[in-house]
Amino acid sequence: MNHRIADRILVVVCFVGLFLPLACLVALLGDVMWDGVARIDWSFLTSYPSRHADKAGLLPGLVGSLFLVLLTGLICIPLGVGAAIYLQEYGQDSRLSRFIAINIGSLAGVPSVIYGLLGLGIFVRTFGLGRSLIAGAATLALLVLPIVVIASIEALRAVPGTLREAALGLGATRWQVIRHVVLPAALPSILTGCILSMSRAVGETAPLIVVGALTFVTFLPDGIDAPFTALPIQIYNWVSRPQAGFENTAAGGIVILLGLLLILNLGAVLLRAKLSKDR
Amino acid sequence: MAQFEVENLKAWYGDKQVLMDVSVSLPAQGVTAIIGPSGCGKSTFIRCLNRMHELVIGARMEGEIRLGGEDIMAPAVDPVLLRRRVGMVFQRPNPFPTMTIRQNVLSGLTLTGRLKRSEADEIVEKALGDAALWDEVKDRLNTPGAGLSGGQQQRLCIARCLAVEPDVLLMDEPCSALDPIATARIEELIAQLRERLTVVIVTHNMQQAARVSDRTAFFLMGELVELSETNTLFTQPADQRTEDYITGRFR
């Protein structure tokens, strides 16, 4: 009898472990929705920030975040996938690249504010990019690069070695094998990893603050060298305002940010489903 | 057709030597079967013949291999080009999962950027015909290659090799993942291919070696013990160890 009771207890413990955080999350989301949804309308999406809470909009933040994701992806995905291809497909027999591959995991755990300082030092100051979109995007790219590399390495590793052998046996070069056999097979997982890393970049605040994103912007960036703001920063700014009404505005911003993240993640799921159905 | 001459071939995985000192001549006619217990180096041997062996991390080989008189281990020889002359079929069918049947057949040419579009249809039909698969798949050439049965997939892999028009076809236990009916189809196919190609087949199955091959080589612990006419090897083996193996006295 005793082991059956122990079994029951374990199930209950596991269920509580699942239920508690889930309940907290639902409560949090519900609270934010409650405060924020009423605030969301078309003009909220298309207006500039304002001193008046009920007139404030998040257009610059939204546009800034979209630009940031786009640029971050453009910088980070080719670099990350390229690094993964090198480490997994070419560098296998060198000790250095094995060492690097093992340690990339710890880079993913470095606090994001430290990447912000790195970005400030390298991109803003040394490269003289200033407090611009491109400096922010480059910093975010650095931040999520390890995630892209790890996801891509895993994806490449999951491609059976027998396929590489088959292609090599047909007289293909290493690059032809990678380009036509390995990459197509690994693509769904690589893309999923990339999209998830982009959604991580969208939510980042600390490194952008360090790099010098603005908090009150009444214009849209007109180039990659323009000053910018981003959704999380806009939200952070609203939350820290003492005036009444801004907490609802902030909540509205959070709902929009969550929506954006949800869309990105949904995109990853759909893309994956589509690509794996095509074969 | 070209014949293989192998002299003093030694091969290693890391520190472990798997081929001791193999010297053998594989004539340019018909089918040579290679038998021997697991780990005797028979797969490694044929993987040396198209220089796939050296792709394994830590693997190396030494000695001399000549194909039609040309030293294929010479530094000037590009192993990539060699592999277009010496095709290989593997233990498990491995059609490319992202490609259709048609694309799989053409893959050896498309991968290497050598396909002339105007010739594609002809090549597909010929290679699939030669692999005895055309009638079964001609109505669904544009469906995924992975949707075929195991035996059909293996014949697709053979068609994929044939489309590159190799001189030699190496087969590494091509039937070990197949059922007896599919195995019989592959064996029939080998009987047809022997007219045009030098075929070297590694097999665990002595009956198979007896059925498909003209000559059989017996490997043991990295050494070539004996190479004879298949009939002779199975009825009057010259070496005691061969006799012990084929009569099942040791494994």
Side-chain angles (χ1 to χ4, degrees), chain A residues 44-79:
Chain A
F44 184 61
L45 294 178
T46 54
S47 308
Y48 293 93
S50 161
R51 283 184 293 124
H52 307 290
D54 52 343
K55 286 188 190 153
L58 44 57
L59 182 65
L62 191 59
V63 172
S65 276
L66 290 177
F67 271 122
L68 272 178
V69 181
L70 197 71
L71 283 173
T72 304
L74 282 178
I75 299 170
C76 174
I77 292 172
L79 280 178

Side-chain angles (χ1 to χ4, degrees), chain B residues 102 105-106 115-125:
Chain B
R102 180 187 155 87
V105 175
L106 294 171
L115 180 68
K116 293 200 189 80
R117 204 160 276 228
S118 56
E119 296 171 2
D121 289 334
E122 197 184 325
I123 293 171
V124 170
E125 179 164 0

